[in-house]
Amino acid sequence: MKALLILTLVLTVTACGKKGVVMEPSSMGVVDSLTGKKDFEFQKVVNEVNCIDDMLKAELGEKETIKKVLTDSDINYCNGLRVRVKIFKISGDKIRAYGFAESSSGKSSCIKDGSDFNKALFRGYEGTLHGDGITISLGGHTYNGTKLIKSDGRKTKYVDFDIASFSGEMGFFENNKLKCWATN
C-alpha cells in the first residue's frame, strides 16, 4: 500500500513537472516588429456606404436631423469617371453633400462639400466637392482648352443632378490636374 502511494506520488510529480517546448507553426515564420505593424493594420475601405452614410452619421450633431434627401445621383461620364453624390437638407436648413468618386485610373476617394458649396433656389448647386486627391468642380466655370476659368454663362453656372446624369458643368480633378471637364 505504501509502495502504491509512493508510486502515485512520483508519477504525479513527474507528470506535473514535465516541461514542453512550444514551437511556432511552420507557416508563421519570423515577424519583424515594423512589418508586423504593417501586416496587421486594417486598410480603410473606400466605398459608397463608408463615404456617404457613415460620414453623415459621424458628422451629424446631437440635435441635428436629416430633413430631406435633395439629390441622390450616380453619374458616369468622361470615359469611366464616376461620381456618386447624395445631398442632404439638415435641420436648420443646412445643406451637406457627401459622395464617392472613382477615376478611370482606379483611384477612389470619399468627397464632401467644400466651403464654397451652395444651392441656388430653382437653379442647382455650385462649388466644389473635395476628396483625397480628387476634386469635383460644380458649375461656375468654363474650360478654355487649357484651364478652367470663371463662367459668365447661365447654363453652366449651376449643376442640377438627375439620377444618372446632370445638367450644367462639372470638372473632375485628380491630384490637382484636370482629368475631365464636361457640360451637359
Side-chain angles (χ1 to χ4, degrees):
M1 185 87 155
K2 269 187 179 182
L4 186 59
L5 184 58
I6 292 174
L7 183 61
T8 307
L9 184 61
V10 170
L11 288 176
T12 306
V13 170
T14 311
C16 291
K18 197 174 197 179
K19 293 184 180 178
V21 176
V22 177
M23 302 287 289
E24 64 183 31
S26 61
S27 63
M28 191 170 176
V30 178
V31 177
D32 181 47
S33 62
L34 294 175
T35 308
K37 286 180 186 174
K38 249 185 186 177
D39 288 345
F40 295 111
E41 283 181 5
F42 291 102
Q43 296 292 329
K44 184 180 176 188
V45 176
V46 177
N47 62 28
E48 295 171 35
V49 173
N50 290 348
C51 292
I52 298 171
D53 300 334
D54 293 347
M55 281 184 69
L56 174 65
K57 287 176 193 172
E59 292 185 1
L60 205 60
E62 282 183 26
K63 296 183 181 186
E64 290 181 319
T65 58
I66 300 168
K67 280 185 158 181
K68 185 178 183 181
V69 177
L70 300 172
T71 298
D72 186 357
S73 63
D74 194 348
I75 302 167
N76 287 306
Y77 72 111
C78 291
N79 300 322
L81 302 176
R82 179 176 174 233
V83 179
R84 171 87 165 93
V85 178
K86 262 188 167 180
I87 301 173
F88 300 92
K89 187 173 191 176
I90 308 294
S91 54
D93 290 336
K94 297 176 195 169
I95 306 288
R96 290 196 192 154
Y98 297 94
F100 169 77
E102 188 171 33
S103 173
S104 55
S105 67
K107 181 174 180 64
S108 58
S109 174
C110 294
I111 54 175
K112 182 182 174 202
D113 56 283
S115 60
D116 63 344
F117 181 82
N118 62 27
K119 180 181 184 339
L121 193 61
F122 302 116
R123 290 184 281 183
Y125 303 93
E126 133 179 275
T128 53
L129 301 171
H130 296 285
D132 182 26
I134 292 178
T135 303
I136 310 294
S137 166
L138 302 175
H141 300 88
T142 56
Y143 187 60
N144 72 356
T146 56
K147 63 181 180 175
L148 286 177
I149 56 174
K150 196 80 173 154
S151 174
D152 293 329
R154 297 187 96 198
K155 183 177 180 185
T156 62
K157 194 92 171 151
Y158 301 98
V159 174
D160 258 336
F161 291 99
D162 197 358
I163 291 171
S165 69
F166 67 99
S167 61
E169 170 273 326
M170 277 183 28
F172 192 103
F173 294 83
E174 187 175 341
N175 298 324
N176 295 324
K177 293 181 182 172
L178 182 64
K179 194 135 168 111
C180 169
W181 176 83
T183 305
N184 195 8

